[in-house]
Amino acid sequence: DQQVKQNSPSLSVQEGRISILNCDYTNSMFDYFLWYKKYPAEGPTFLISISSIKDKNEDGRFTVFLNKSAKHLSLHIVPSQPGDSAVYFCAATPGGTSYGKLTFGQGTILTVHP
Amino acid sequence: KAGVTQTPRYLIKTRGQQVTLSCSPISGHRSVSWYQQTPGQGLQFLFEYFSETQRNKGNFPGRFSGRQFSNSRSEMNVSTLELGDSALYLCASFKGGPTDTQYFGPGTRLTVL
């Protein structure tokens, strides 16, 4: 029972273009959502997060959109750079005292071509 | 400021043995969570400790246990190792509040032969 799903195992984009990574969830108790980036042999690095009371959050080149009714979130990277090539994970948590319990998607491998 | 550190980075054990992994959180962080990453199951939550108490628990068998010390350092233990326990074990630390950023360590790669 996968509560957080990233249906695209991989995504390839050209440098300077937009990268859009998608994530769906099924658990209505999830209250807070996060995106992490992971390089091989390293731990995940936090990118951006969004609370369920918002529908958009921006941080530099990264924007996360949340559609609660569709139980869908997406990460937009504009413009994409070759250094963005990594595995991207979305994660969700019920928040509150359960905030430390993250449920992760399977990841999407992003490749940005020069 | 120093990041989350995990020791050892690599470990090879045989079936039936037990293993202890260590995680030192960022200074000032009171919460430590542990995750298992495998190719088949992805990243799965094991448990979280906050101020020396287990605050959240995932769906892993009792062979997986953990503890946290007064300085917030945490250890996880796996007893009676099985081949399927081969994985990357990651820990994450944060201050403890509901929107604090969680920072991950580099992980311990455990291989069970």
Side-chain angles (χ1 to χ4, degrees):
Chain A
D1 171 26
Q2 245 193 308
Q3 299 183 58
V4 178
K5 292 183 185 178
Q6 293 175 255
N7 291 318
S8 298
S10 63
L11 175 68
S12 181
V13 300
Q14 209 64 32
E15 181 179 7
R17 300 289 191 114
I18 183 171
S19 295
I20 300 177
L21 297 104
N22 294 302
C23 181
D24 297 296
Y25 62 96
T26 57
N27 191 337
S28 301
M29 298 300 292
F30 289 144
D31 193 49
Y32 203 77
F33 304 88
L34 309 92
W35 284 93
Y36 282 85
K37 175 170 79 171
K38 188 178 185 301
Y39 295 115
E42 292 183 15
T45 302
F46 171 76
L47 282 173
I48 193 169
S49 60
I50 188 167
S51 165
S52 62
I53 63 173
K54 294 187 174 182
D55 54 19
K56 177 182 173 181
N57 189 27
E58 284 181 87
D59 185 0
R61 296 186 298 114
F62 302 92
T63 302
V64 56
F65 295 92
L66 174 63
N67 182 334
K68 276 192 70 175
S69 59
K71 293 191 174 66
H72 177 85
L73 62 154
S74 60
L75 174 68
H76 292 210
I77 306 174
V78 183
S80 301
Q81 299 172 354
D84 295 331
S85 297
V87 182
Y88 287 77
F89 292 94
C90 70
T93 171
T97 56
S98 296
Y99 175 69
K101 181 178 179 178
L102 297 179
T103 300
F104 283 86
Q106 291 292 89
T108 296
I109 301 170
L110 173 65
T111 304
V112 181
H113 299 282
Chain B
K1 105 180 160 179
V4 179
T5 58
Q6 292 187 244
T7 55
R9 292 293 312 275
Y10 302 91
L11 207 46
I12 299 176
K13 292 284 187 179
T14 56
R15 275 184 302 173
Q17 287 187 309
Q18 76 162 15
V19 68
T20 300
L21 312 181
S22 180
C23 173
S24 292
I26 292 171
S27 177
H29 287 193
R30 297 166 65 191
S31 173
V32 174
S33 295
W34 287 89
Y35 295 84
Q36 180 196 66
Q37 185 181 25
T38 59
Q41 298 298 318
L43 270 158
Q44 291 190 292
F45 173 78
L46 281 153
F47 30 66
E48 180 212 359
Y49 284 86
F50 176 76
S51 293
E52 301 179 65
T53 301
Q54 188 179 84
R55 184 160 70 169
N56 288 286
K57 189 175 185 309
N59 298 322
F60 277 80
R63 298 185 299 107
F64 293 82
S65 63
R67 60 178 175 168
Q68 187 179 34
F69 302 94
S70 58
N71 62 356
S72 293
R73 188 177 70 86
S74 177
E75 290 181 346
M76 69 161 279
N77 184 277
V78 188
S79 63
T80 320
L81 283 166
E82 302 176 359
L83 295 179
D85 297 333
S86 294
L88 180 67
Y89 290 88
L90 293 155
C91 76
S93 80
F94 64 107
K95 291 179 182 176
T99 59
D100 296 330
T101 299
Q102 298 191 40
Y103 297 90
F104 280 82
T108 294
R109 171 71 63 184
L110 172 65
T111 303
V112 182
L113 302 176

